[in-house]
Amino acid sequence: IKTAPFDIRFPSTNQTKHCYTRYIEFHKCQKERGEGAPECQKYARYYRSLCPSEWIERWNEQRADGVFCGPY
Amino acid sequence: MTNNSCLDRRHPYHLVDPSPWPITLSFASVPTTVGGVLAFHSIRAGGLLLGSGLGMLLYTLFLWWRDVIRESTYAGLHSACVHQGHRYGFLMFIASEVMFFIAFFWAFFHSALGPAVESGAIWPPHGLMVPDPWGIPFLNTLILLGSGASVTWAHHALFAGSEKAAVNALAVTIWLALLFVLLQAMEYRDAPFTMSDGIYGSTFFVATGFHGVHVIIGTIFLICCAIRHYLGHFTPTHHFGFEAAAWYWHFVDVVWLFLFVSIYWWGGH
């Protein structure tokens, strides 16, 4: 069983930004390389490990409603 | 009021006569604060209470400072020693005001340096039409810098005993100050976001709003100096009221420079 690797950009205990950044990177990757591109799956695994599922559901709902705040 | 024993005192300090204004001021603060809180919670009586409290507050301040002028300019009780004490005291007051503004700048940077994930982890938050710093805000910067120069001009005119020049320079300063207030009021009226628009709105309006209040206070102070100068209260060597107003005005200018650089320029798009 593996989890998201240590990311030097987020050295502190609070990993909120790490989770959010991986989620954004996944969608950025999808936008740039197309839906379902295999390179993007690693970002997907990272954010699913790091982020609380409630947050992922909320962000996915916001995306569906067109009101997600992030850049991708 | 004062009697002969005052001149026999053999020390340079001014031991003020008992005055009703301090306790009047504290009584006037009660309807002001209670009315303010009620008004913030949209209770009808709040506005009336706040207004009457402010009226009492301002009238008390007028009476208190009128007494200071009577004691100094008319009764001559402000010796060099008292004058020095006032200089230190007013500088410390300005230092306390600096700390007051540091609190709001801290609040701004806390939120702007690590923007919350909930609003997209960017600053300014997504969807906000923030003011263009190079529009009215830049003009306001030039206006305040210019007024800082004109108040220094007025000071030098006072030193030189050029009373007409001092009046003109003070007039220029006051016109510039009023222009700043007018332009900021227009920016507030036409802003596409309000104080309730998230953390951006809160930090923007609290910081610029308190600055605006300080500009208004500084402008009133300068107007009082202009009136006193017209009445001949100031001499080339003793004009602390004017110096205090000028220091306060420079402080207001410096706070604006920080606001412009941090909130308008760095904190904008």
Side-chain angles (χ1 to χ4, degrees):
Chain A
I1 292 188
K2 287 200 283 197
T3 185
F6 175 70
D7 186 338
I8 194 71
R9 295 174 296 176
F10 311 104
S12 309
T13 304
N14 188 327
Q15 294 283 290
T16 303
K17 283 283 169 58
H18 191 183
C19 138
Y20 184 74
T21 303
R22 291 303 191 193
Y23 180 82
I24 297 290
E25 282 173 346
F26 170 69
H27 288 286
K28 178 175 189 253
C29 175
Q30 289 231 298
K31 181 159 187 233
E32 288 170 357
R33 300 187 194 230
E35 299 273 327
E39 307 85 65
C40 304
Q41 284 316 304
K42 80 165 184 249
Y43 296 120
R45 285 201 307 278
Y46 294 162
Y47 85 70
R48 283 178 203 136
S49 290
L50 289 161
C51 302
S53 49
E54 295 92 349
W55 294 8
I56 299 172
E57 278 157 26
R58 188 173 65 230
W59 292 336
N60 289 339
E61 268 171 38
Q62 287 176 354
R63 296 190 92 87
D65 293 337
V67 293
F68 180 66
C69 281
Y72 288 99
Chain B
M1 225 204 76
T2 57
N3 51 34
N4 277 334
S5 64
C6 186
L7 301 171
D8 295 337
R9 64 196 174 176
R10 282 180 280 181
H11 65 76
Y13 302 101
H14 178 203
L15 301 172
V16 294
D17 289 332
S19 162
W21 309 136
I23 197 151
T24 309
L25 196 68
S26 56
F27 282 144
S29 307
V30 177
T32 310
T33 47
V34 173
V37 172
L38 290 175
F40 293 156
H41 290 275
S42 305
I43 295 168
R44 173 78 57 86
L48 185 63
L49 210 54
L50 174 63
S52 49
L54 276 174
M56 288 190 254
L57 208 72
L58 289 169
Y59 188 49
T60 308
L61 288 173
F62 164 75
L63 293 167
W64 189 332
W65 281 322
R66 186 181 66 172
D67 275 355
V68 174
I69 293 171
R70 286 172 171 177
E71 289 158 6
S72 57
T73 305
Y74 298 136
L77 294 165
H78 285 193
S79 61
C81 175
V82 171
H83 184 174
Q84 264 301 84
H86 288 157
R87 293 169 84 84
Y88 283 129
F90 200 75
L91 278 173
M92 284 193 278
F93 170 66
I94 290 183
S96 77
E97 293 258 74
V98 169
M99 295 311 298
F100 182 73
F101 275 97
I102 285 175
F104 300 120
F105 276 97
W106 187 333
F108 167 73
F109 280 114
H110 175 98
S111 297
L113 281 167
V117 155
E118 287 80 356
S119 50
I122 52 168
W123 192 274
H126 190 68
L128 271 168
M129 282 177 56
V130 301
D132 171 21
W134 302 109
I136 303 272
F138 184 59
L139 178 60
N140 277 342
T141 307
L142 296 175
I143 287 171
L144 281 183
L145 287 171
S147 67
S150 62
V151 83
T152 306
W153 169 26
H155 199 181
H156 284 274
L158 266 180
F159 280 142
S162 321
E163 304 198 344
K164 193 90 191 313
V167 169
N168 288 336
L170 261 175
V172 166
T173 310
I174 292 166
W175 278 120
L176 288 171
L178 292 171
L179 187 58
F180 178 93
V181 172
L182 182 69
L183 287 169
Q184 263 306 65
M186 283 164 53
E187 284 282 275
Y188 269 34
R189 181 197 63 188
D190 296 337
F193 58 92
T194 71
M195 191 187 244
S196 336
D197 284 321
I199 192 63
Y200 184 90
S202 293
T203 49
F204 181 89
F205 282 109
V206 165
T208 60
F210 270 119
H211 175 260
V213 168
H214 284 72
V215 170
I216 291 168
I217 291 170
T219 308
I220 294 172
F221 200 169
L222 287 167
I223 291 172
C224 290
C225 284
I227 294 170
R228 290 188 68 201
H229 179 57
Y230 180 75
L231 294 172
H233 290 189
F234 298 140
T235 73
T237 46
H238 193 161
H239 44 259
F240 178 67
F242 175 84
E243 282 180 324
W247 290 350
Y248 198 76
W249 193 251
H250 290 305
F251 154 71
V252 154
D253 188 6
V254 169
V255 171
W256 174 261
L257 293 173
F258 277 96
L259 281 175
F260 178 75
V261 168
S262 321
I263 295 184
Y264 285 94
W265 189 2
W266 177 83
H269 286 301

